[in-house]
Amino acid sequence: MDAKQVVDLLYWRDVKATGVVFGAALLLLLSLTSCSIVSVCSYIGLALLSVTICFRIYKGILQAIQKSDDGHPFKKYLDQEYSDLVLAKVNKGICELRHLFLVEDLIDSIKFAVLMWILTYVGSLFNGLTILILSLVGLFSCPIVYEKHQTQIDHYLALVSNQVKDVVGKIQAKVPGMKRVKAE
């Protein structure tokens, strides 16, 4: 799935596809509130396995009736190599964590520390599952709200951004070693 497909999904361009993805993800998270993750994963695995086995048998029967030799119905997925893609993403994440924790850039590490400090308060108010459910609902509703009210939102975001820049500029001017070096 490429970035355009994700954007189309979040902006509800294809209501059926977005509804299925949003509904399935929300159902998964709500299931986790009442069942253990082991049970939920087992049920999902059994459901997925039931569907794929039935589809494989159905395609086999169709091939036998039509006397065709189409081969395995999931051949294109079996031939794909996923490990390189996953390793590249994991390596990028580890490099970013190294950048933050080993203080390669002081400002980025301080921003990360402030984020972690804020998350300690958020974590004391909500459990992780509640945060995931709220994030999912926000992920699927905020883009469409922004699209409908873009001018008003942009206006207020610009005001907030200017205020934050002023405060950060004042802090950087007063604290030694906080000024960023601009690359030329």
Side-chain angles (χ1 to χ4, degrees), residues 23 30 46 63 70-71 87 103 135 138 145 148 179:
L30 291 174
L46 281 171
Q63 288 175 8
D70 292 339
L87 284 175
V103 194
S135 299
V145 169
K148 290 185 188 282
K179 289 190 178 186

Side-chain angles (χ1 to χ4, degrees), residues 52 55-56 59 63 69-76 78:
T52 55
F55 185 71
R56 171 82 193 270
K59 286 301 233 178
Q63 288 175 8
D69 191 22
D70 292 339
H72 197 285
F74 300 116
K75 182 161 178 50
K76 73 176 187 177
L78 290 170

Side-chain angles (χ1 to χ4, degrees), residues 9-12 18 21-27 29-30 129-146:
L9 199 66
L10 294 177
Y11 278 98
W12 294 77
T18 301
V21 170
F22 177 65
L26 192 59
L27 180 66
L29 292 175
L30 291 174
L129 213 45
T130 304
I131 292 171
L132 285 175
I133 292 169
L134 291 173
S135 299
L136 180 73
V137 171
L139 186 68
F140 278 90
S141 58
C142 288
I144 199 75
V145 169
Y146 177 73

Side-chain angles (χ1 to χ4, degrees), residues 75-88:
K75 182 161 178 50
K76 73 176 187 177
Y77 300 110
L78 290 170
D79 292 340
Q80 288 181 342
E81 188 63 45
Y82 296 103
S83 60
D84 292 336
L85 178 66
V86 171
L87 284 175

Side-chain angles (χ1 to χ4, degrees), residues 4 15 21 25-26 28 47 63 80 83 90 99 108 127 129 149 159-160 163 175:
K4 184 184 180 332
V15 177
V21 170
L26 192 59
L28 170 72
Q63 288 175 8
Q80 288 181 342
S83 60
V90 168
H99 167 79
D108 286 345
N127 68 21
L129 213 45
H149 304 287
L159 291 174
V160 170
Q163 291 292 326
V175 177

Side-chain angles (χ1 to χ4, degrees), residues 1-181:
M1 182 174 266
D2 65 353
K4 184 184 180 332
Q5 290 173 318
V6 172
V7 169
D8 288 346
L9 199 66
L10 294 177
Y11 278 98
W12 294 77
R13 303 284 190 249
D14 182 3
V15 177
K16 273 187 183 178
T18 301
V20 167
V21 170
F22 177 65
L26 192 59
L27 180 66
L28 170 72
L29 292 175
L30 291 174
S31 298
L32 287 172
T33 61
S34 61
C35 299
S36 72
I37 192 165
V38 174
S39 296
V40 172
C41 289
S42 297
Y43 285 129
I44 289 171
L46 281 171
L48 185 61
L49 196 55
S50 298
V51 169
T52 55
I53 288 173
C54 289
F55 185 71
R56 171 82 193 270
I57 292 170
Y58 169 74
K59 286 301 233 178
I61 291 171
L62 274 182
Q63 288 175 8
I65 291 172
Q66 295 174 349
K67 296 188 185 351
S68 66
D69 191 22
D70 292 339
H72 197 285
F74 300 116
K75 182 161 178 50
K76 73 176 187 177
Y77 300 110
L78 290 170
D79 292 340
Q80 288 181 342
E81 188 63 45
Y82 296 103
S83 60
D84 292 336
L85 178 66
V86 171
L87 284 175
K89 299 268 185 202
V90 168
N91 191 39
K92 185 177 179 184
I94 289 172
C95 288
E96 185 61 30
L97 288 173
R98 180 186 67 196
H99 167 79
L100 293 169
F101 281 108
L102 297 180
V103 194
E104 190 174 323
D105 183 0
L106 183 63
I107 300 296
D108 286 345
S109 294
I110 290 174
K111 287 179 188 176
F112 184 66
V114 169
L115 174 68
M116 292 295 109
W117 180 67
I118 291 170
L119 287 178
T120 62
Y121 288 103
V122 172
S124 67
L125 296 174
F126 302 104
N127 68 21
L129 213 45
T130 304
I131 292 171
L132 285 175
I133 292 169
L134 291 173
S135 299
L136 180 73
V137 171
L139 186 68
F140 278 90
S141 58
C142 288
I144 199 75
V145 169
Y146 177 73
E147 188 175 56
K148 290 185 188 282
H149 304 287
Q150 185 173 3
T151 54
Q152 297 96 327
I153 293 171
D154 284 347
H155 171 70
Y156 288 110
L157 282 177
L159 291 174
V160 170
S161 177
N162 289 336
Q163 291 292 326
V164 169
K165 284 180 185 176
D166 289 345
V167 170
V168 169
K170 288 177 185 176
I171 291 172
Q172 285 179 341
K174 293 187 183 210
V175 177
M178 290 282 290
K179 289 190 178 186
R180 283 186 178 250
V181 178

